[in-house]
Amino acid sequence: MNVIVCVKHVPETAEAEIAIHESGKRIKTENLVFDINEWDDYAVEEAVLLKEKLGGSVTAVTVGPEDADGTLRKCLARGADRAVRLTDKAFEGSDSYAIAKILYKAIKNLPFDLILTGAQAGDDGCAQVGVVLAELLGIPHVTMVKKVESIEGLVKVERELEGGLEEIMELKLPALLAVQTGINEPRYISIMGIRKAMKKEIKVLSLKDVGLTEEEVGESGSWITVEKMFIPPVEKEAEILTGGVDEIATKIVETLRAKGLI
Amino acid sequence: MEELSTIRKLNFNVCMQCGKCTGSCPVFPKSKLNPRRLMLETAYLTSPLTMHPPLNIYEKSEVWDCTTCSTCSYRCPREVEPMDVLIGLRGLLIEQGRVPPTLGDALEGVYKYGNPWGLSPSKRSEWAQDLEVKYVSEGEKAELLYFVGCAASYDSRAQEVARALVKNLNTLGVDFSILGNKETCCGNEVYSLGEKGLFEILVEKNLSLLDQYGISRILTTSPHCFNAFKNKYGKDLTVQHYTQYFADLIDKGKLKFPQRVEKVVTYQDPCFLGKHNDIYDEPRKIIENIPGIKLVELNLSRGRSVCCEGGGGRMWYDIPGERGRLAETRVKEAIDVGADILAVACPFCLLTFDDAIKTTGNEDKIQVMDIMELVAEAFLPSNVQCK
Amino acid sequence: MKELFVLAEHRQGELRDVTFEMLTKGVELSQKTNADLTAVLLGHNVEKFEKELAHHAKKVLIIDDARLENFNAEAYQRVLFHLISERKPSLTLIGHTAFGVDLAPSLAAELNLPLATDCIDLDFEGEKLVVIRQVYGGKVNVKASLRKSESYIVTLRPATFEAHEPKPRDGDIVKIASPLSEDITYKRFIEYFQPPAGEVDISTADIIIAIGRGIKDTENMPVVEKLAEALGGVLACSRPIVDKGWLPSDRQVGTSGKIVKPKLYIAIGISGQFQHISGMKNSDLIIAINKDSEAPIFRAADYGVVEDLFKVVPSLTDKILEEKH
């Protein structure tokens, strides 16, 4: 089974302090650590698991700057056979729609049975690229995938709905699956593994290589334009309980008693 | 398999299967880990013989239970170095990505953020904010570098040790500096986990930092950092654990304690000072020199000391199904010998004993303190609060 | 007259809350832009929803087709492509839910209409549609405008907009013939599936103790289990705990889990990414325990404790048990 995985190189922001850039349209990234988007990490692992079970190849594709090579190397170290990076100044400012167009051009002439993407990206959380890409390629898609099973020419998936409920869908290949976190346990990638992956080639393609015009990508090719980014106003601020551990515990118990909860 | 070369270099073919390693392994009673059998199985890996039933080395997940206390290597009559063989096996598993997730996270944390908890480097020296410290990264040169280590930098309890150490050095008028937020993991646990590639990156990074700032002498909080710099970096670095430094000062008559500390104290020999580096007397010298302290020995001490179960990655990994660490037994032992204070010289011992005292409900019977905290108290009682 | 579409979302015989949240916002927007609010209902044998939707909207368009019985984005997309192309609504609102994420992007791409997803607010500034979204896990808000178009598509974040009882109205119910002519064989719904779970339904619990990544290891569960027992509450969690398999998925609180409104919600070791906060922010009393003073959870809680949970929780459990005896 030939699988293509679309991945994104994103900053880790969960534990970091975020500051807005002077332009007011993005955040400052100098002190942030970048890594593969968490959802895409699961997608890569799933692709490699499928390859290990069914044979075939895995190709990792990303739209990003040269630094995105770090993410592609991780994919190669995990077990991807090939990596493609789409880089061009014209791509800057692209939203999900424009990114999907770029990926579409790069992928449409490649042989594949399945495309995997993460259900969303940890930075913008739009959850659009995979599905738009599927539409452009004319293949069926399913999002929020928790489990994949391949049967002859078909793929059966468990899809996550809300509240713990799931549904089972069946698609004919070729298809695109946007995977949800928790679908597998991504294995650790060692530094030596990444070093070995340095030997594999990363193909780099530009705007011209994929046959797009400047108007079709970047801000002009997007559905959405960022007007400004800002730290959300503080609506509510918790009253921080102070004191030693026991003092705090006592204060909580008093509050609970007062509210009739104990 | 390329990774087997680490194992081939070791001399386990001379293993006579005596079982002293298994007999002395502190973890063996509660884990599938059996060093003797592991040596036999590993021998089969590199020989034309086959094992029945066939061995899948990738299923030996019990290798993660090891604390790298080195008792097995310490006791082996044939110098087989079972601990090093085990680390080699861990390396094999690491290359296959077969690591328990919490350990994988710890390694990723070191790689991305310079510490196994994955906390921001910008917070690494927050513990020193209100103290008088020179930052070598800001051009403030000093004779000695105090290498704090990840635990003492980020853990709130262990930070108290760093603060006590700094106060003690200041009281003594020692000229020292710290790396501040530029400090990054020494890599001792990374090495013990078998992540050779990551360890090499850390060595390169740290050596270049030492070079960049012209550092010639290092003092560490943790015996683990001490061990890494002294034995694993492949360079002849002048590094001391703080117990060596302070014991030295006592020998030179430069350490006088104005305050008495009227406590009965027992001491836990940390694996990385004791069994790994034969440092037993210096910590005791310091404790005994504090007026008022009565030092009592644990029943199993010095070379027979029992690991707290903090090393070898165990700070980030629990043996599946286990409830209760060795630290709990040690705490009870300390109470049995009549100690008020269980003194330690390692942040991992400090944290594991602190937890164990709570989980065994012995907070009112004993407390754990680092030697630096005892010293701080002997200098000026207001430095440290004896709870 | 321009129309503003709200796609009704229903599952297993019930209209989902997000439908009413969207209709309430739809009323506001349709009034502002002088458009008719139209609820769009796709399904099979869904007459029972007609009246309720007609209370909120000026018009209810119903397309009934056996092929629409269980949600299938392909079938929905075909119908909506047809409806939107024909009727050209100024805006189509869809919930940013498991349905919505499967449907909206491909629908927008097929229609080549601009789409903004997971919006927490939106407005028309003249002809321009402007939305507010959250990025970086809720730490940063973005104000974005959509490419000028006669018709927009927006997915709204569930449990974010308020659902109000509408001013009584009785919208027209219009049945439209289904444009579907053939079965969709390349993507089929097989069945619903409830993964094995416990006997506990956290959405009905009065007291919830929720745990997050701060718990560090499944071995540490007893610490919070004891607290839950002491309070007579149930254990719930944030997503990462479910991903690691430490608790079943029906214990997950959040936009992809359950929305809960208990009397007491104690968040332990949870950083508070928006996906989680959306699921619990309307609880009566929220207490958060987290070592990190900057954790977003403190912006959703009533009381905060910046302390190591392994120190606070056991002490709290003890004091509660003391109090009870």
Side-chain angles (χ1 to χ4, degrees), chain B residues 151-363:
Chain B
S153 296
Y154 288 106
D155 180 277
S156 51
R157 178 65 185 93
Q159 281 173 345
E160 290 169 40
V161 178
R163 293 170 64 81
L165 210 161
V166 160
K167 286 184 186 162
N168 294 339
L169 291 178
N170 281 336
T171 305
L172 293 167
V174 176
D175 184 31
F176 74 95
S177 62
I178 63 172
L179 285 164
N181 292 341
K182 290 251 190 294
E183 190 185 278
T184 189
C185 184
C186 67
N188 195 64
E189 304 316 285
V190 172
Y191 179 89
S192 321
L193 286 171
E195 233 290 20
K196 255 185 77 193
L198 181 55
F199 184 67
E200 281 168 16
I201 289 180
L202 292 170
V203 171
E204 207 183 300
K205 211 189 236 183
N206 282 321
L207 287 179
S208 117
L209 265 180
L210 296 176
D211 204 40
Q212 183 187 355
Y213 295 118
I215 289 159
S216 52
R217 287 181 62 205
I218 307 170
L219 185 73
T220 72
T221 326
S222 173
H224 292 252
C225 302
F226 166 71
N227 185 67
F229 287 129
K230 175 146 185 289
N231 302 321
K232 300 287 179 220
Y233 270 49
K235 280 237 162 161
D236 200 11
L237 296 167
T238 309
V239 55
Q240 281 187 309
H241 181 254
Y242 76 70
T243 49
Q244 295 173 300
Y245 183 83
F246 278 76
D248 217 22
L249 290 176
I250 291 176
D251 286 342
K252 296 189 174 129
K254 290 192 183 162
L255 207 51
K256 297 277 185 273
F257 296 115
Q259 301 292 340
R260 293 181 69 83
V261 179
E262 304 281 358
K263 295 275 176 188
V264 178
V265 175
T266 189
Y267 171 66
Q268 157 83 352
D269 287 284
C271 303
F272 277 89
L273 273 190
K275 296 195 203 78
H276 278 272
N277 288 291
D278 280 316
I279 297 173
Y280 298 108
D281 297 320
E282 290 89 324
R284 288 172 169 79
K285 189 177 287 187
I286 304 171
I287 299 173
E288 284 177 312
N289 244 270
I290 299 177
I293 285 193
K294 176 166 180 248
L295 177 64
V296 295
E297 289 286 343
L298 288 164
N299 293 326
L300 293 169
S301 70
R302 294 183 174 257
R304 297 179 69 216
S305 179
V306 181
C307 181
C308 71
E309 262 191 283
R314 293 299 311 282
M315 293 299 281
W316 305 282
Y317 181 67
D318 280 313
I319 297 176
E322 154 203 45
R323 296 256 189 268
R325 293 197 164 205
L326 291 167
E328 292 182 2
T329 326
R330 283 304 257 177
V331 161
K332 290 186 191 145
E333 253 184 88
I335 296 174
D336 283 344
V337 298
D340 304 310
I341 294 178
L342 172 52
V344 297
C346 171
F348 288 168
C349 292
L350 179 74
L351 297 177
T352 51
F353 287 138
D354 206 44
D355 278 347
I357 289 174
K358 287 184 192 137
T359 52
T360 53
N362 283 312
E363 286 109 312

Side-chain angles (χ1 to χ4, degrees), chain C residues 78-299:
Chain C
R78 296 239 183 115
V79 174
L80 287 168
F81 177 84
H82 180 83
L83 266 182
I84 294 177
S85 304
E86 275 222 345
R87 302 174 79 107
K88 302 198 200 305
S90 54
L91 173 64
T92 301
L93 293 178
I94 301 177
H96 192 77
T97 59
F99 277 6
V101 297
D102 216 50
L103 167 66
S106 46
L107 175 65
E110 193 183 1
L111 287 162
N112 199 359
L113 293 177
L115 162 71
T117 52
D118 199 25
C119 299
I120 60 172
D121 205 356
L122 74 165
D123 202 4
F124 278 96
E125 286 179 2
E127 291 271 303
K128 192 168 69 160
L129 181 62
V130 165
V131 299
I132 307 280
R133 301 189 65 252
Q134 286 198 318
V135 292
Y136 303 112
K139 286 188 168 183
V140 176
N141 279 8
V142 171
K143 183 177 176 198
S145 56
L146 280 76
R147 182 192 81 198
K148 192 145 186 284
S149 170
E150 302 241 296
S151 192
Y152 298 99
I153 306 180
V154 171
T155 67
L156 295 186
R157 179 179 293 177
T160 304
F161 291 85
E162 309 246 319
H164 293 310
E165 266 310 303
K167 275 210 279 251
R169 78 199 299 186
D170 231 339
D172 299 322
I173 297 177
V174 179
K175 299 213 199 270
I176 296 192
S178 164
L180 296 174
S181 54
E182 44 180 36
D183 285 337
I184 292 168
T185 54
Y186 49 86
K187 178 173 174 181
R188 300 193 307 132
F189 168 86
I190 305 292
E191 60 183 0
Y192 287 112
F193 168 63
Q194 185 86 40
E199 338 64 41
V200 172
D201 180 4
I202 59 171
S203 52
T204 57
D206 276 339
I207 297 181
I208 294 181
I209 285 84
I211 55 169
R213 272 197 249 239
I215 200 78
K216 296 218 181 95
D217 206 308
T218 184
E219 305 281 324
N220 298 324
M221 294 286 260
V223 174
V224 288
E225 278 165 3
K226 285 190 194 138
L227 177 63
E229 217 184 283
L231 279 170
V234 303
L235 217 50
C237 63
S238 60
R239 193 187 180 91
I241 303 293
V242 168
D243 283 346
K244 289 183 197 277
W246 296 348
L247 279 178
S249 56
D250 64 353
R251 299 289 185 124
Q252 187 191 326
V253 172
T255 46
S256 59
K258 291 195 173 158
I259 312 289
V260 297
K261 297 182 179 77
K263 296 205 178 111
L264 171 64
Y265 190 92
I266 306 186
I268 302 178
I270 293 178
S271 64
Q273 297 219 307
F274 69 73
Q275 292 98 332
H276 185 83
I277 291 190
S278 295
M280 43 62 81
K281 62 184 190 205
N282 291 321
S283 309
D284 292 342
L285 177 62
I286 303 171
I287 302 177
I289 303 175
N290 193 306
K291 255 205 289 206
D292 179 12
S293 57
E294 317 260 322
I297 191 84
F298 292 122
R299 282 188 256 132

